[in-house]
Amino acid sequence: MALGVRKLSFALGAEITGLDLRRPMDAAAAAEVRRIWLDNLVVVIRDQDITPQQQVAFGRHFGPLDDHKSLPFYRLEGVPEIFLITNKLVNGKPSETKDTGRLWHSDHSFTTHPTMASALYCKEIPEVGGNTLFTNMYSAYDSLSDGLKKLLDGLEAVHDIRDYAPFRSRNAEQRAEMHRINPAVAQPVVRVHGETGRKALYVSEALTFRFVGMTEEESAGLLKFLWRRSVQPEFTYRHEWRPGDLLMWDNRCAMHMAPADYAPGQPRLMHRITILGTPCGRLYSEQSTVRAAA
Ligand code: OGA
Ligand code: MN
C-alpha cells in the first residue's frame, strides 16, 4: 500500500495521507505507518471521522494499550482505553485534565514502564491556539559535545511525580495517592531507542530535578542546560490542530508540551490512547526528598 508522506518540519513530524481509519488497516499499512513514525517521531493523519472503537483498533496495531491506572482521571464511558483531555466541565466540575502537559515531558517517564506512544484524536479545538509542541530528543543528544555525551551516557536521573509542579497544588491526599501509585524511579539520562538503536536525551523540565547520586543543587545547572538545549526551536514542531486529526508520537525520542495558548472559555477536547512500552528504568529506593514548593 502506498501512503503519502509530507514532512511537517525539519526536526520531526510528518503527515500521512491515503488512510481512512473508518476501515480496518491491514498489516502492511500498519507496518508502513510504523516505519514512517519511527523515521519522523510524530505522525498526523488528518480528516478522520472515527469512533472511539476505531481509534482503539488503530492503536492496537502498534502494541497493547494502557488502561491509564497511573493517572486515574477520565476514561470514556465503556471504552476505558480512551482517556479524556479536556478543559470542559466534567459532571459539572472543572476538569482534572484541563492543564495536561503544560511543561515539556515524555509520557509516564515517572514509571518503570513508560508509554511507547500516545495518540490524540482531536474532537474540539479553540478558534485559535490549543496547539501541542513536540521536540526531537535524538537531535538534542546529537547536538552535544563528545565530552558531555560521555558524561551523560553513564548517568541516571530521578523522575518523581511529586516533583511535577502542577500537581503540587493538588491536595495532600491526592498527592500521596499519586505517589503510592507511582513511586520515584531512576531513568537513564540517555535512552537507547529499542527499535532504532539511536540515543536520545531523556530528561524533562516537568519531572527531572536531580541526577542519581547528586543533590538537586548540584544537578540544577546541567539539567537546566539540557532542558534548554532539548527545546531549541530548530528541534521542534508546533502542531495546529483541526478536529479530525489523529496524531501519534514516540515518547522514547520525543517530548511534548501543550501551552495555555487559547481563550480559557473555548472548549478543547482530545481522545487519547496510550500504547504501552517496554520496561525502562528502575524503582528508586534511596530516601528521596520532595522539592520545596517554589
Ligand atoms: C498528553 C499531553 C497534550 C495536549 O496527552 O500526554 O501531554 O496537547 N497532551 O493535550
Ligand atoms: Mn503528555
Side-chain angles (χ1 to χ4, degrees):
M1 170 165 207
L3 300 177
V5 183
R6 185 178 71 89
K7 280 185 96 59
L8 294 168
S9 82
F10 172 67
L12 75 169
E15 179 181 351
I16 299 180
T17 53
L19 279 171
D20 178 352
L21 299 175
R22 287 175 303 185
R23 290 196 294 271
M25 225 178 11
D26 62 24
E32 203 170 332
V33 170
R34 187 169 200 120
R35 184 186 54 74
I36 298 165
W37 174 67
L38 288 172
D39 286 349
N40 292 282
L41 292 66
V42 172
V43 291
V44 187
I45 306 164
R46 301 203 101 144
D47 303 315
Q48 299 299 306
D49 181 15
I50 53 172
T51 63
Q53 289 77 11
Q54 286 163 337
Q55 185 180 354
V56 166
F58 171 82
R60 289 219 169 102
H61 280 284
F62 305 99
L65 302 187
D66 192 6
D67 58 3
H68 300 116
K69 281 206 181 68
S70 54
L71 290 176
F73 301 123
Y74 313 118
R75 264 57 81 62
L76 196 67
E77 183 94 40
V79 193
E81 297 89 348
I82 292 198
F83 181 84
L84 298 183
I85 296 177
T86 191
N87 62 352
K88 296 167 74 160
L89 295 179
V90 179
N91 303 326
K93 292 199 195 124
S95 165
E96 300 264 13
T97 59
K98 66 180 169 22
D99 294 317
T100 297
R102 290 282 182 256
L103 300 169
W104 286 101
H105 65 285
S106 170
D107 289 334
H108 299 189
S109 70
F110 53 84
T111 74
T112 52
H113 46 88
T115 304
M116 177 180 79
S118 307
L120 297 183
Y121 178 54
C122 178
K123 301 283 288 179
E124 292 178 61
I125 198 76
E127 204 178 305
V128 286
N131 298 167
T132 308
L133 281 69
F134 298 89
T135 196
N136 184 329
M137 298 298 270
Y138 294 136
S139 301
Y141 177 77
D142 291 344
S143 75
L144 302 172
S145 65
D146 289 345
L148 185 52
K149 282 180 182 156
K150 206 155 135 194
L151 175 75
L152 297 178
D153 276 342
L155 288 180
E156 291 175 305
V158 180
H159 294 228
D160 189 334
I161 189 87
R162 288 176 301 179
D163 291 336
Y164 182 54
F167 282 0
R168 285 199 224 120
S169 58
R170 289 174 187 257
N171 67 43
E173 205 176 304
Q174 229 179 0
R175 295 177 67 207
E177 173 65 1
M178 205 81 82
H179 181 61
R180 193 189 60 73
I181 306 171
N182 302 294
V185 303
Q187 294 287 4
V189 168
V190 178
R191 186 169 180 188
V192 179
H193 192 292
E195 289 179 87
T196 65
R198 294 184 63 191
K199 288 180 175 177
L201 259 187
Y202 197 55
V203 292
S204 73
E205 63 167 3
L207 287 154
T208 337
F209 297 93
R210 66 208 146 96
F211 298 109
V212 168
M214 298 185 209
T215 65
E216 200 172 301
E217 189 185 8
E218 288 166 343
S219 309
L222 182 51
L223 277 173
K224 280 186 184 146
F225 166 80
L226 295 174
W227 299 342
R228 211 169 46 234
R229 173 62 63 94
S230 302
V231 301
Q232 279 189 187
E234 56 268 46
F235 302 152
T236 69
Y237 164 63
R238 181 171 186 137
H239 188 65
E240 281 183 44
W241 294 94
R242 295 197 311 236
D245 285 355
L246 178 64
L247 181 152
M248 177 167 78
W249 66 87
D250 189 336
N251 283 299
R252 299 166 291 185
C253 52
M255 288 202 299
H256 58 284
M257 66 94 80
D261 60 349
Y262 54 95
Q266 295 195 355
R268 186 179 192 271
L269 171 63
M270 301 283 179
H271 281 184
R272 166 168 151 179
I273 50 169
T274 308
I275 301 156
L276 291 169
T278 47
C280 183
R282 60 183 174 90
L283 287 177
Y284 180 68
S285 54
E286 200 178 299
Q287 188 60 41
S288 54
T289 47
V290 182
R291 274 166 32 104

